[in-house]
Amino acid sequence: MKLTKYYYLVIAGLLIISCKNNNENDLAINDGETSSIEDKVSVLLSKMTLEEKIGQMNQYNGFWDVTGPVPENGDQAKKYDHLRKGYVGSMLNVRGVKEVMAVQKIAVEETRLGIPLIIGFDVIHGYETLSPIPIAESASWDLEAIKKSAQIAAKEAAAAGINWTFAPMVDISRDARWGRVMEGAGEDTYLGSKIGVARIKGFQGDDLTTPFSIAACAKHFAAYGFAEAGRDYNTADIGTSTLNNVIFPPFKAAKEAGVRTFMNSFNELNGIPATGDKYLQRDILKEKWKFDGFVVSDWGSISEMIAHGYAKDGKHAAELAANAGSDMDMESYLYVEELAGLVNEGKVDIKYIDDAVSRILRVKFELGLFDDAYRYLDEAREKEVIGSQEIHDAALDMAKKSIVLLKNENNILPLKKDGQKIALIGALASDKTSPLGSWRIAAKDSTAVSVLEGLKQYSGNTITYAKGADVSIGKTEFAFEVKINTTDKSEFNQAIKVAKQADVVVMVLGEHGFQSGEGRSRTELGLPGVQQELLEAIYKVNKNIVLVLNNGRPLTINWADDNIPAIVEAWQLGTQTGNAVAQVLYGDYNPSGKLPMTFPRHVGQVPIYYNYKSTGRPTLPGEDVVFWSHYQDEENTPLYTFGHGLSYTTFKYSNLKIENTFSENKTVKISVDLTNTGKRQGKEVVQLYIRDVFASVTRPVKELKGFELVALNPNETKTIELILSEDELGFYDNQGTFVVEDGDFEVFVGGSSQTELADKFKL
Ligand code: NOJ
């Protein structure tokens, strides 16, 4: 029976039995077609017991996939019992129509009010068919493609019964040691905000009630990406200016784009764990920004406030979190155990419970779950959609667009299709699991197209493969450390032999897919294990090397940059990895990706980012004088700057013009001519940066404030216009007020953050 009928029958029955004095409200909830969601929410709320309300605020993990440490008090029988009593509002990590149906049926058919569950899952870069990891997708700077990728991920996940993703992660990250840089859009607030919005629009679509769209979640609020020393879950201590100008804007943009949920973060921020932070969740998010969806805690982050040294015990943690505005408890089990007592003792005001529950019910109504709780649960659709050609085509398209050509000397790339003899070396080249990346709980092992398989389509029997050395040892799993091969070089000789006989050597080196992601911080950013030695050993016998990097974060590859003629950043590109890499290496696809995060020369430079502050001593005061902001043993500059990326064609920027009409219409128009000066069609990301030369709060030396992805035929020129409005010209002062200040501005335009053209204007 469809829920629509069932639900209204149940409600009608209940209304007759228990709500005789509430006829107007009774009518409102029965009048599913015409009354507003707000009316329905308040009518339903008025029917709920305190325990049922708290149940809505309780989220349990499912029964087999685990994406966090399992709490001691988490037995399965209890979960089922709570489901039946209506003490569970949501589950995560339950997937597949059959499994979701099993729990949804309990919620709908066995509980007193039949309130459907909202089913969450980490659909981060795809569900079963994987797109590139988010930092890779961000390298496309292609907002339409990113939106489409999220849309496709939503479609596949929704077909498996999921209606809520814990994505996008919109944490700005400047520290490559932090493993979760793979999950974000990189270091820049402007780009990160646009990409976050594109992802939200892709996941949620225009209509949340279609069975192809799912609710999105902006996470982790806030400052999770600023974990000290890049160590995951670590403390963040952030000044007002960085908080307002760097960390908050992508979250605010997410709210404005209509994201339906937020997730708070594991870290403490300036002494208060985010989960218990009233300033973040109530004052900023709900009051200042007027967010009307709900906030879910991160996995166990309510109980972790005890370890933080902020809560005395579980009961105190529940009190702090509920009062601070954490609406739903993910896997701490504390709301369900403690909140009723806390309300009865007057420690948590019922108005906070009602507010949290209203928010959760609102999103469930918006998803159409009250009209049909089984709308996502169609086995025929599940079979048809998951792994379909449409999904694979979109994943391939995104994968090609995510590749960044870092270096290409002597036209070694594209590879020739004329029987050129290729040696393919590296364990990652034949790996069909690692390219799936880190967030791939629903994907089966060995389902990616490997680079070896991809290249074979072009090179057939002119390709010879040798592993050279393993990257990892033993089984690799989501929840466990990857063990790296640091000693076994026994297969070097075979690889050297193969390399000697080749015209070109393609080496696929880098990180295993499970070396980045949650809980995967590193102190070294070089090629893991014996891979650097392997690279140098091969270089001794054949210098024609194309290095294809697999990684979830910027790496330090100075030696490679000094010696290897071509370097291709291929991240972890998902299911279609091999096809995408082959199309780029053989020139069927002209790469246009640009780095969304700076590549350091040395880990000691981290955090390194293009939009740094000048300091009072930015330049060398005289030969060898030490009194300026620098290192004795390394340059200040990065190896590859933010926004860097080459193409098989070349572009020329000219004719930068500024039309300053700010006094009339509050805008400044920047235009520039872009010419394709090479011999191939290609795409370029035109990047506009500004510098507010002096201000009441110091501004970065450069800030991205506009970009456009432009396709050009050889010899073609296009004039690109980018508009600076108050949004781009202003900033938040230390009182949190957005201001646009008069004064001098510099403008820079080019194909990376080390831009080619510059000019000035005044406001
Ligand atoms: C912990 C992660 O921090 C969060 O991003 C994720 O969504 C949850 N676990 C659920 O898996």
Side-chain angles (χ1 to χ4, degrees), residues 24-277:
E24 268 177 48
N25 286 347
D26 296 351
L27 274 179
I29 196 161
N30 273 310
D31 180 14
E33 299 308 315
T34 53
S35 63
S36 72
I37 284 183
E38 292 316 302
D39 289 342
K40 291 176 187 170
V41 166
S42 62
V43 170
L44 185 48
L45 193 69
S46 71
K47 310 300 167 218
M48 295 170 78
T49 63
L50 178 59
E51 286 70 22
E52 283 164 343
K53 288 178 182 175
I54 291 165
Q56 287 304 301
M57 299 167 72
N58 180 33
Q59 184 187 52
Y60 281 148
N61 191 60
F63 306 111
W64 64 98
D65 295 329
V66 166
T67 54
V70 183
E72 279 165 17
N73 48 349
D75 74 84
Q76 299 198 6
K78 184 151 125 199
K79 285 184 181 176
Y80 275 114
D81 178 49
H82 281 183
L83 263 174
R84 292 203 164 85
K85 289 188 169 129
Y87 295 172
V88 185
S90 172
M91 293 197 76
L92 77 151
N93 293 337
V94 180
R95 61 183 164 92
V97 168
K98 213 165 126 251
E99 300 298 337
V100 176
M101 181 67 94
V103 289
Q104 192 68 296
K105 259 184 181 270
I106 298 177
V108 170
E109 295 178 16
E110 296 186 39
T111 67
R112 191 179 76 92
L113 291 174
I115 300 175
L117 299 167
I118 178 169
I119 304 288
F121 195 79
D122 290 286
V123 186
I124 309 294
H125 53 107
Y127 175 69
E128 192 178 296
T129 312
L130 274 303
S131 288
I133 57 173
I135 194 162
E137 290 196 359
S138 305
S140 71
W141 295 51
D142 185 334
L143 300 177
E144 272 311 306
I146 292 170
K147 179 174 160 198
K148 170 88 184 172
S149 174
Q151 191 187 324
I152 282 297
K155 186 170 179 178
E156 202 181 42
I162 285 146
N163 43 42
W164 177 24
T165 176
F166 305 125
M169 183 183 104
V170 295
D171 297 307
I172 296 302
S173 38
R174 294 169 161 181
D175 192 331
R177 292 171 297 181
W178 190 50
R180 287 194 94 165
V181 305
M182 58 76 58
E183 199 179 337
E187 74 192 33
D188 185 64
T189 297
Y190 180 86
L191 179 63
S193 302
K194 300 271 179 216
I195 288 176
V197 168
R199 289 201 169 120
I200 290 160
K201 292 198 166 147
F203 287 129
Q204 297 195 161
D206 299 328
D207 177 6
L208 261 189
T209 64
T210 73
F212 301 112
S213 55
I214 59 183
C217 179
K219 69 186 190 186
H220 307 83
F221 197 59
Y224 182 48
F226 276 63
E228 276 178 4
R231 181 158 53 80
D232 206 3
Y233 317 123
N234 203 3
T235 303
D237 213 307
I238 311 283
T240 322
S241 181
T242 303
L243 198 58
N244 285 322
N245 290 294
V246 179
I247 291 171
F248 281 166
F251 287 101
K252 184 157 188 280
K255 186 268 152 190
E256 276 157 20
V259 74
R260 296 319 291 133
T261 69
F262 268 59
M263 186 184 289
N264 59 34
S265 54
F266 288 126
N267 57 283
E268 66 158 75
L269 170 62
N270 304 336
I272 316 261
T275 306
D277 195 335

Side-chain angles (χ1 to χ4, degrees), residues 19 99 131 171 198 218 282 319 391 423 445 558 654 701 758:
C19 318
E99 300 298 337
S131 288
D171 297 307
R282 288 209 189 278
E319 176 189 339
I391 311 259
D445 277 354
N558 291 358
S654 60
V701 294

Side-chain angles (χ1 to χ4, degrees), residues 2 65 77 120 184 199 240 277 312 472 556 568 577 585 601 645 719:
K2 285 221 161 186
D65 295 329
R199 289 201 169 120
T240 322
D277 195 335
K312 185 170 70 192
S472 55
T556 47
V568 176
T577 290
L585 295 191
R601 294 176 190 277
T719 302

